[in-house]
Amino acid sequence: MACFWLLKAVKHTEVLAPVHVKSIMEVCIFFLYAMILLPGIAASVHQVKSFLNHTAYLSCYFANSQKTDIKDLRVFWQKGADEVVHEVYYGQEKHDNLSPKYINRTKMDMDKWTLQLLHAGIVDEGQYMCIIQHRDKGSPKVIHTSECLLHIIANYSQPEIAWLHTGELKPNEYLNLSCSSSGGYPEPKQMIWLISHENTTDRLMRHMDVSQDAVTKLYNVTSRLNITVPTKTLINISCLLHLGEQLGSLVSVPVGIEIQGKEMDQVKINFFGPLIAVIVLITLLLGFVILKKNRNISSANQSVSLAV
């Protein structure tokens, strides 16, 4: 497909330099050789991860590469079916046919057979193919292919819990919290709430809201939690952002929640107040009965004394 459009451009452009036309024709011929010979050559796929705006390293190493003279090789990198990423033409780097977004962004380390892609961005994600062609007695021959699948990573901020509750906490009411993380890539798998009390930890799944910035393509995530306020124990609440099996997880700073002080004192007063009142009333009644009884005994004694 790339050759078709290149040749069409050549056909309709009169001012195109003859040398540049020849270069385009060579690229097309190279593509044709590669497409014909690639099915017979086993290509290895390398999973490559690179942090956003860092250098990505795409390997094209092959056996006995140190015994091969670079001047007898043509090394060609492409992304997908129509983007020319880098080209080394029998020992010399060529830039005539590169796709615009890769100009001045690639370097080939011929000692390690590695392509360096500078300032890797999210748009650079995808599959890259390296094709090495050997000049054998004048006839080109594909001797090696290698495929790299590039993944871009951007670090999420540490998840942070925000307090959505207004007013004083009261026992058995609902507590509202949110947990957020931003500026990451790729899209995370899930966010889990961890509720720890005494010797146990409960894992709660809640809906995760995900948004992607239209310009940077980075993700922001938020999850909300609504639980009953505990009355008898201290609990620690944290949230865990799961990024994937190979990227691991991020966890927030835990938030401790315990109803105590005036709130618990009020609960105790409300609970023990009626009981204390009953006890005081009973005590007063007993005192009154005892006092009356003592008075009766005293009066009886006085009557006996008078009679004698």
Side-chain angles (χ1 to χ4, degrees):
M1 183 61 70
C3 288
F4 171 78
W5 288 110
L6 288 171
L7 291 173
K8 188 175 181 180
V10 171
K11 182 179 179 180
H12 291 85
T13 306
E14 297 179 357
V15 297
L16 202 58
V19 175
H20 190 53
V21 173
K22 181 180 178 182
S23 177
I24 293 175
M25 294 299 296
E26 288 177 348
V27 171
C28 291
I29 293 172
F30 181 70
F31 264 117
L32 292 175
Y33 271 113
M35 294 302 103
I36 293 172
L37 297 175
L38 278 180
I41 300 176
S44 56
V45 180
H46 305 280
Q47 301 291 329
V48 178
K49 294 182 178 64
S50 176
F51 284 102
L52 182 66
N53 296 325
H54 285 61
T55 299
Y57 297 90
L58 309 177
S59 176
C60 193
Y61 185 83
F62 62 100
N64 298 322
S65 60
Q66 300 302 325
K67 298 179 181 179
T68 306
D69 191 345
I70 187 62
K71 294 181 180 180
D72 293 329
L73 299 179
R74 186 176 181 186
V75 183
F76 191 86
W77 281 90
Q78 70 181 68
K79 182 187 179 187
D82 55 2
E83 289 186 301
V84 179
V85 179
H86 196 84
E87 181 183 4
V88 178
Y89 188 83
Y90 301 122
Q92 299 294 324
E93 291 188 324
K94 294 186 64 176
H95 307 283
D96 299 339
N97 307 310
L98 299 186
S99 298
K101 70 179 182 179
Y102 295 108
I103 295 176
N104 297 325
R105 291 186 57 217
T106 58
K107 293 192 301 182
M108 188 72 183
D109 185 343
M110 299 309 301
D111 292 330
K112 298 180 179 179
W113 295 89
T114 299
L115 179 70
Q116 300 178 20
L117 178 58
L118 309 179
H119 308 294
I122 294 175
V123 295
D124 295 318
E125 272 196 325
Q127 189 162 329
Y128 293 77
M129 175 175 285
C130 170
I131 305 168
I132 299 180
Q133 186 184 49
H134 185 264
R135 180 168 52 188
D136 185 15
K137 297 179 182 180
S139 299
K141 179 181 179 182
V142 176
I143 62 172
H144 178 72
T145 65
S146 179
E147 295 182 36
C148 292
L149 189 58
L150 176 61
H151 305 275
I152 300 299
I153 301 170
N155 286 329
Y156 282 85
S157 63
Q158 183 180 15
E160 184 175 353
I161 295 178
W163 192 278
L164 302 180
H165 190 86
T166 58
E168 294 183 355
L169 276 181
K170 296 181 180 179
N172 298 318
E173 288 189 347
Y174 283 100
L175 171 67
N176 297 313
L177 302 173
S178 73
C179 183
S180 302
S181 180
S182 61
Y185 191 89
E187 183 177 352
K189 299 300 181 182
Q190 59 188 2
M191 184 174 277
I192 303 172
W193 289 89
L194 305 176
I195 315 296
S196 300
H197 52 89
E198 296 179 348
N199 296 322
T200 63
T201 299
D202 299 324
R203 299 166 64 92
L204 303 180
M205 298 291 297
R206 293 294 184 267
H207 175 71
M208 181 176 66
D209 294 318
V210 181
S211 62
Q212 186 177 26
D213 189 278
V215 177
T216 65
K217 304 301 179 183
L218 300 178
Y219 289 99
N220 303 317
V221 296
T222 301
S223 179
R224 288 177 171 79
L225 179 68
N226 186 289
I227 62 171
T228 304
V229 176
T231 58
K232 296 182 179 180
T233 183
L234 167 68
I235 65 171
N236 288 311
I237 301 178
S238 57
C239 63
L240 183 144
L241 182 64
H242 183 48
L243 304 175
E245 293 182 1
Q246 297 181 349
L247 299 178
S249 302
L250 295 173
V251 66
S252 70
V253 174
V255 173
I257 298 175
E258 183 179 19
I259 304 300
Q260 57 183 353
K262 293 182 180 180
E263 291 80 3
M264 283 305 293
D265 290 343
Q266 184 65 38
V267 173
K268 292 177 182 178
I269 291 172
N270 292 338
F271 179 77
F272 291 109
L275 180 61
I276 293 174
V278 172
I279 294 174
V280 170
L281 180 60
I282 293 174
T283 303
L284 291 174
L285 289 174
L286 289 174
F288 178 76
V289 170
I290 293 171
L291 180 61
K292 186 175 181 180
K293 184 177 182 181
N294 289 336
R295 286 180 177 178
N296 292 335
I297 294 173
S298 178
S299 300
N301 290 336
Q302 290 179 359
S303 298
V304 172
S305 300
L306 292 175
V308 172

